[in-house]
Amino acid sequence: MLSMMDVAAVLLTLSALFGWLNFKFLPLSHSVGLLVMSVVTSLVLIGADTLFPGLRLLEQLRDGMQQIDFTEIVVNGMLAFLLFAGSLHVDLDMLRSRAVPVFLLAVFGTIISTAVVGVLFWGVAAVAGFHVPFAWALVFGALISPTDPVAVLSTLRNANVPRDLQVETEGEALFNDGVGIVLFTLLLRFASSGEGASVSVGDVAELLLREAVGGILLGIVTGYVAYRAMRLIDDYAVEVLISVALVTGTYALASHLHVSGPLSMVAAGLLIGDRGPRYAMSERTQRYVFALWTVVDEILNSVLFLLIGLETLVLRFDPRTLLLATAAVPIVLVARFVSVGVQPLLFAWTKMLSWANAPFLTWAGVRGGISVALALSLPDHPAKPLILAATYAVVLFSIIVQGSTLGWVVKRTVGTGSKSNA
């Protein structure tokens, strides 16, 4: 039995090794390279175990991986640090200027995508001979529709995207988690009750207000307290410690208050990233604070994408589900295209959304660890293996294929000089 120290040592060592190999020999971005190599390694180990079952190597590795609660480590661990680190570097003034499209994409885009994915997934499953209750198809739509902020931010670093469109895409990814988790929670409650429970508009509004608005308010309050504390002193070590305490303390408090921890991290990160350098931090403090969170972001990103690939060792899919899992990829892409393409028509009065950007926004809608974590958190149900297989297929495709080709898509759809409201 591997200890948690052994597991941590294996993950960090593999992250460093794969990162070095990717940098030295592969023309892939860091995150995509790590994911590809970890998936290939997992498949090679599975193949070796099939050919030489006496080695029992795969069994030991599976035991070690099963000690890792992927949902717990991502949703209640890594995500807090990754969202705060990502938010620190977002231009708040640019985000304010794109507030309307960010809100529409994060809220209505997620709702529309959830509905489209649910209908299509339910229909394709029925045609393929699988019985997936409609409520569970909608659960899949809710967990796969929000774009993953970690995956999106990592992908956009390697694409020459116009600044305003980049901020719009980053903002959507940072904020649509709150909407997605609210929909996921409500739809899972409905599905788990045998589709006999009633979910009213009031229930949705109450949960959305408590989770989303409460999370944002909490992040603003704790972020402001941390900002004021930093402003009263000039000691880089203490200010770095304050930023770490802000993340851990706020996320833990959000859990106890039953508000959105991810949104509280986004709000706190935006506030510190905007006001801290201007009014509270000396140049020396800025270097240390931003360097720390850049390193934290890189390390946790590496471990997260490695974990996604290594989950192949643990997940056991029925070969019959591969057809439905493969079909989920175009289903999610179609739903994403509909959700971003219909909004310029529905909200034409804003004059801030352009249908011309729909191809880019569709391809930039990368899914990642959050979707996998939510799928793994589902209770036992006959539909869970199908949803898990479909989720994993979509995540691998979006990170590897969409992530590695986004730069090519940018050149042929938006160009470097376009405006997102053109």
Side-chain angles (χ1 to χ4, degrees):
M1 178 72 70
L2 297 175
S3 68
M4 288 309 297
M5 179 61 74
D6 294 332
V7 173
V10 170
L11 292 177
L12 290 172
T13 302
L14 286 178
S15 296
L17 175 62
F18 288 173
W20 185 86
L21 290 172
N22 178 65
F23 183 85
K24 194 74 175 174
F25 301 109
L26 297 179
L28 299 173
S29 68
H30 180 67
S31 299
V32 174
L34 278 173
L35 180 59
V36 169
M37 282 189 284
S38 60
V39 170
V40 170
T41 301
S42 298
L43 294 176
V44 169
L45 288 171
I46 292 172
D49 186 71
T50 303
L51 294 174
F52 307 103
L55 295 177
R56 299 184 62 194
L57 177 62
L58 189 58
E59 181 181 340
Q60 297 179 49
L61 290 173
R62 275 180 174 156
D63 289 341
M65 287 297 297
Q66 286 173 344
Q67 291 179 247
I68 302 174
D69 187 332
F70 192 91
T71 302
E72 181 70 20
I73 199 172
V74 173
V75 177
N76 294 324
M78 289 183 177
L79 190 58
F81 296 93
L82 289 167
L83 286 177
F84 182 82
S87 302
L88 275 178
H89 298 93
V90 174
D91 188 329
L92 188 56
D93 291 332
M94 284 288 292
L95 185 60
R96 287 195 192 102
S97 71
R98 307 303 305 162
V100 171
V102 166
F103 173 81
L104 294 177
L105 288 169
V107 177
F108 292 99
T110 305
I111 293 172
I112 294 170
S113 177
T114 296
V116 175
V117 169
V119 171
L120 293 179
F121 188 72
W122 175 73
V124 171
V127 171
F130 295 100
H131 174 63
V132 178
F134 185 61
W136 283 91
L138 289 175
V139 168
F140 172 63
L143 69 86
I144 205 67
S145 289
T147 55
D148 188 290
V150 179
V152 169
L153 293 173
S154 176
T155 300
L156 288 176
R157 289 178 192 147
N158 304 290
N160 188 19
V161 184
R163 183 59 181 157
D164 52 354
L165 188 56
Q166 178 179 345
V167 169
E168 192 173 301
T169 310
E170 290 174 348
E172 178 203 1
L174 289 169
F175 283 102
N176 65 9
D177 285 331
V179 178
I181 291 174
V182 167
L183 288 174
F184 174 79
T185 303
L186 287 172
L187 291 170
L188 181 59
R189 181 193 307 170
F190 179 70
S192 299
S193 63
E195 304 185 35
S198 60
V199 179
S200 66
V201 176
D203 293 333
V204 176
E206 179 186 354
L207 191 59
L208 186 61
L209 284 172
R210 186 176 74 244
E211 287 275 343
V213 178
I216 291 172
L217 288 177
L218 176 64
I220 291 173
V221 170
T222 57
Y224 185 75
V225 170
Y227 155 71
R228 293 296 301 179
M230 290 178 174
R231 190 170 181 177
L232 292 174
I233 63 172
D234 184 15
D235 186 309
Y236 75 88
V238 176
E239 292 178 74
V240 166
L241 184 58
I242 288 172
S243 70
V244 176
L246 170 63
V247 173
T248 55
T250 301
Y251 209 79
L253 188 58
S255 176
H256 289 292
L257 295 177
H258 303 292
V259 299
S260 175
L263 289 179
S264 68
M265 288 297 92
V266 172
L270 289 173
L271 190 150
I272 295 296
D274 180 64
R275 299 188 69 84
R278 288 196 285 178
Y279 304 116
M281 301 178 190
S282 65
E283 290 187 10
R284 187 184 189 190
T285 298
Q286 288 181 48
R287 288 197 301 272
Y288 278 98
V289 169
F290 282 88
L292 168 73
W293 287 104
T294 298
V295 171
V296 167
D297 187 41
E298 290 294 337
I299 292 175
L300 292 185
N301 249 315
S302 299
V303 174
L304 177 58
F305 284 101
L306 178 73
L307 273 174
I308 294 173
L310 292 179
E311 279 295 305
T312 308
L313 293 171
V314 180
L315 303 178
R316 299 178 181 179
F317 301 129
D318 186 329
R320 295 176 302 168
T321 67
L322 293 179
L323 176 63
L324 185 58
T326 303
V329 173
I331 286 174
V332 172
L333 285 173
V334 167
R336 173 70 177 172
F337 183 76
V338 171
S339 68
V340 299
V342 75
Q343 292 195 65
L345 303 176
L346 294 177
F347 305 103
W349 52 271
T350 66
K351 298 182 180 179
M352 298 190 74
L353 292 167
S354 172
W355 194 88
N357 289 326
F360 165 77
L361 290 172
T362 299
W363 208 245
V366 181
R367 276 69 176 183
I370 295 176
S371 293
V372 176
L374 292 177
L376 288 169
S377 73
L378 291 172
D380 288 336
H381 186 274
K384 181 176 179 177
L386 295 172
I387 292 175
L388 193 53
T391 301
Y392 204 67
V394 171
V395 168
L396 290 183
F397 179 87
S398 68
I399 294 176
I400 296 174
V401 179
Q402 293 173 233
S404 60
T405 59
L406 186 61
W408 181 86
V409 173
V410 170
K411 292 178 182 178
R412 284 155 181 79
T413 56
V414 297
T416 58
S418 68
K419 296 291 182 183
S420 58
N421 61 349

